[in-house]
């Protein structure tokens, strides 16, 4: 048969492959791929009989070698039987009750108002660092509750227009309302001696003190062989901290 003069063929080529040839080539490629990736020892439907041939227990087919069986497993018949078997197993399987989600009891408290507080502004005589000392009174705090605090940026709150020069310090303890203080948005010194909290269980008072870090000054710039020492920062009056 002349394959070179068939429609669609190129001169010097072997001609256009027929459908049966393409199908046979596809099965061979699938067989090689299956041989490299599939472990027949783990296939529950693969069985070797006493005649030395191979059987598919799902489709009841006979195969002369492992490659033929693997090519069969990639075919439509085997895949359809696998889908039917999976659907049957799912239907026959007993319905398992959904695991019950753990229930978390939500504590509800009736708010009794704002706690009393006192704020003291201080300055470390050695480091010249400014600090704030907060004392919040919780005489009727709920049993088992510890006071909590956190810093909040001006962009998290929705009471005032956000101002990046300020931040907020919040205190919370049930059944009291949460209170906040507006403090300068400066970097806070979190070292052990510069930031501490204490809860006095006897007096029911919560204390928190923190120091602001000192601003970093630029080194003096030499001009004409002489050093220009920067002037000390001007003292600015800080805004009175009020309960928000």
């Amino acid at each position: 048969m002349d394959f070179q003069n068939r429609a669609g063929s190129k001169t010097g080529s072997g001609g256009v492959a027929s459908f049966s040839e393409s199908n046979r080539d596809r099965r061979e490629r699938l067989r090689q791929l299956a041989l490299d990736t599939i472990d027949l020892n783990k296939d529950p439907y693969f069985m070797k009989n006493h005649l030395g041939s191979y059987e598919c227990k799902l489709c009841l087919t006979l195969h002369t070698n492992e490659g033929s069986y693997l090519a069969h497993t990639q075919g439509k018949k085997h895949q359809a039987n696998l889908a039917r078997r999976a659907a049957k197993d799912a239907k026959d399987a007993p319905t398992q009750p959904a695991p019950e989600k753990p229930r978390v009891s939500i504590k509800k408290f009736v708010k009794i108002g704002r706690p009393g507080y006192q704020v003291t502004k201080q300055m470390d005589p050695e480091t010249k660092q400014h600090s704030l000392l907060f004392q919040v009174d919780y005489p009727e705090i709920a049993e088992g509750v510890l006071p909590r605090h956190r810093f909040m940026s001006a962009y998290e709150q929705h009471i005032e227009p956000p101002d990046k020069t300020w931040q907020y310090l919040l205190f919370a303890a049930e059944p009291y309302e949460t209170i906040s203080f507006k403090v300068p948005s400066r970097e806070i010194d979190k070292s052990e001696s510069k930031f501490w909290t204490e809860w006095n269980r006897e007096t029911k008072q919560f204390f928190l003190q923190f120091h602001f870090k000192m601003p970093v000054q630029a080194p003096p710039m030499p001009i004409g062989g002489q050093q220009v020492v920067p002037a000390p920062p001007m003292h600015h009056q800080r805004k009175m901290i009020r309960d928000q």
Side-chain angles (χ1 to χ4, degrees), residues 132-146:
L132 293 173
L133 173 62
F134 295 86
Q135 174 188 323
V136 187
D137 301 327
Y138 294 110
E140 298 182 22
I141 189 172
E143 184 179 357
V145 175
L146 295 177

Side-chain angles (χ1 to χ4, degrees), residues 1-243:
M1 180 179 291
D2 185 8
F3 289 99
Q4 295 188 359
N5 297 322
R6 301 173 75 180
S9 65
K10 296 182 180 180
T11 304
S13 65
V16 179
S18 64
F19 175 77
S20 61
E21 292 172 338
S22 300
N23 195 27
R24 184 166 58 252
D25 180 66
R26 181 183 66 84
R27 288 199 302 268
E28 178 64 21
R29 284 187 283 107
L30 289 175
R31 186 182 71 85
Q32 291 294 338
L33 178 62
L35 283 172
D36 296 337
T37 58
I38 298 178
D39 186 4
L40 290 177
N41 295 326
K42 298 181 180 179
D43 190 340
Y45 305 115
F46 175 73
M47 182 183 71
K48 185 176 182 179
N49 58 24
H50 64 285
L51 299 176
S53 58
Y54 302 95
E55 296 183 18
C56 175
K57 294 190 292 184
L58 178 64
C59 306
L60 303 178
T61 55
L62 290 174
H63 305 276
T64 57
N65 52 51
E66 294 181 353
S68 175
Y69 172 81
L70 289 173
H72 161 73
T73 60
Q74 307 302 314
K76 293 182 179 179
K77 180 179 180 180
H78 189 82
Q79 296 296 324
N81 287 336
L82 283 176
R84 282 194 290 267
R85 174 58 64 88
K88 183 177 181 301
D89 292 343
K91 183 179 179 180
D92 296 341
T95 305
Q96 297 292 338
E100 185 177 358
K101 296 182 178 179
R103 298 181 180 179
V104 179
S105 59
I106 301 176
K107 297 180 179 180
K108 296 182 179 180
F109 298 94
V110 179
K111 300 297 182 180
I112 61 175
R114 298 179 180 179
Y117 63 88
Q118 181 178 348
V119 182
T120 306
K121 293 186 288 184
Q122 299 175 338
M123 185 180 69
D124 191 322
E126 297 181 358
T127 62
K128 307 300 182 183
Q129 289 178 271
H130 295 94
S131 67
L132 293 173
L133 173 62
F134 295 86
Q135 174 188 323
V136 187
D137 301 327
Y138 294 110
E140 298 182 22
I141 189 172
E143 184 179 357
V145 175
L146 295 177
R148 306 179 302 278
H149 73 278
R150 82 174 185 96
F151 288 90
M152 182 177 69
S153 71
Y155 297 94
E156 294 183 69
Q157 55 86 32
H158 304 284
I159 305 300
E160 300 179 349
D163 186 352
K164 64 180 182 180
T165 59
W166 298 96
Q167 60 183 332
Y168 296 84
L169 176 58
L170 279 64
F171 293 91
E174 287 78 11
Y176 291 91
E177 295 180 7
T178 301
I179 59 175
S180 64
F181 298 90
K182 190 174 181 179
V183 298
S185 183
R186 295 168 51 189
E187 188 176 2
I188 295 173
D189 191 346
K190 294 285 185 73
S191 59
E192 184 177 356
S193 60
K194 302 298 182 181
F195 188 100
W196 58 270
T197 61
E198 181 183 352
W199 167 238
N200 192 321
R201 297 179 181 273
E202 296 181 358
T203 61
K204 303 296 181 65
Q205 292 176 323
F206 182 71
F207 299 89
L208 182 146
Q209 184 179 27
F210 65 87
H211 290 69
F212 292 105
K213 284 188 175 181
M214 295 293 292
V216 179
Q217 298 181 356
M221 299 291 293
I223 299 179
Q226 297 181 353
Q227 286 188 345
V228 179
V229 180
M234 297 182 61
H235 176 73
H236 61 280
Q237 184 177 4
R238 278 180 288 175
K239 188 176 293 185
M240 178 66 68
I241 301 176
R242 298 184 181 275
D243 179 23

